Amino acid sequence: MDVNVASWLVIAIAIAAANLPFFNDKVLALVPARWSNEAKPLYVRLAEMIGLYFVVGAIGMALEAQIGTRFPQTWEFYAISACLFLVLGFPGFIVRYLRRPRD
């Protein structure tokens, strides 16, 4: 796989994974669950985002290892990528919590 294609693939997967918790009420989009007020709580959505961050990171590492030697990363890389993952999930947060429903 080409480096350019792998980079765009990881970015596309990250955008989809960061917004996934906000666009459905199932746990990890697979397991239906009952909530007291019929909506998935925010802390569950954030826990899903943390888990999906690690999944996307594992996919990125696997693609990097397939292309060639995997580069070692320090804590700065993980801090920046976690913040970027939160920013990528912001459109889903806006649609779920800040957008007013039409009457």
Side-chain angles (χ1 to χ4, degrees):
M1 180 179 290
D2 185 48
V3 175
N4 196 16
V5 173
S7 300
W8 283 108
L9 181 63
V10 170
I11 291 170
I13 291 171
I15 290 170
N19 286 298
L20 181 67
F22 297 107
F23 285 117
N24 63 35
D25 285 330
K26 294 180 179 181
V27 177
L28 294 174
L30 299 172
V31 182
R34 297 281 180 177
W35 310 106
S36 61
N37 59 358
E38 296 297 323
K40 186 168 38 171
L42 180 61
Y43 68 88
V44 175
R45 294 182 197 275
L46 293 177
E48 286 180 350
M49 282 189 74
I50 292 169
L52 290 170
Y53 168 74
F54 288 113
V55 169
V56 171
I59 292 170
M61 286 183 184
L63 287 174
E64 187 179 17
Q66 181 185 11
I67 292 169
T69 305
R70 200 175 72 77
F71 294 102
Q73 307 296 342
T74 59
W75 69 270
E76 292 95 347
F77 171 79
Y78 295 108
I80 291 170
S81 63
C83 291
L84 181 62
F85 196 77
L86 286 174
V87 170
L88 290 175
F90 192 66
F93 179 82
I94 294 294
V95 169
R96 173 61 67 179
Y97 292 108
L98 299 179
R99 188 169 173 239
R100 290 186 187 177
R102 293 187 179 192
D103 293 330

